[in-house]
Amino acid sequence: MIKIYHNPRCRKSREGLEVLEQSGQDFEVIKYLDKIPTKDELNEIIGYLGISPIELVRKNEAIWKEHYKGKELSDAEIVAAMVKHPKLIERPIVINGKKAVIGRPAEKINTLL
């Protein structure tokens, strides 16, 4: 089952959702600000993406700039920051099986379909 970690208030996330809707495939929408991923779930997603945790962080968010920017953080501390402040998680994330992409631009989602 395809999953999209989605923030309805984000234009890029809505564009990613539209790609999935147009694909005609079944998918699950996870509003990650309401159902915050656990540390284990985030680590699994990061593994599927094949990136380091810092690459999943929205570094222009005020929360990041105020509390974390310029600090030496371990991967575990970065994941903990995203769990504590899910607005820091880049979006949308689309997962199909054990593969995932950050849907920026939305066309990247097509690589999973």
Side-chain angles (χ1 to χ4, degrees), residues 43-61:
N43 281 317
E44 184 176 64
I45 291 166
I46 289 163
Y48 293 162
L49 288 165
I51 62 175
S52 64
I54 193 67
E55 294 175 85
L56 191 57
V57 172
R58 295 175 53 83
K59 294 168 205 71
N60 286 327
E61 286 289 334

Side-chain angles (χ1 to χ4, degrees), residues 58-69:
R58 295 175 53 83
K59 294 168 205 71
N60 286 327
E61 286 289 334
I63 294 166
W64 181 260
K65 290 177 180 178
E66 292 168 15
H67 300 285
Y68 304 101
K69 185 178 179 180

Side-chain angles (χ1 to χ4, degrees), residues 71-91:
K71 294 184 179 178
E72 289 288 327
L73 300 171
S74 68
D75 286 351
E77 289 170 322
I78 293 167
V79 170
M82 288 188 281
V83 170
K84 185 175 181 179
H85 306 285
K87 283 179 108 178
L88 293 176
I89 301 171
E90 191 62 80
R91 60 200 179 238

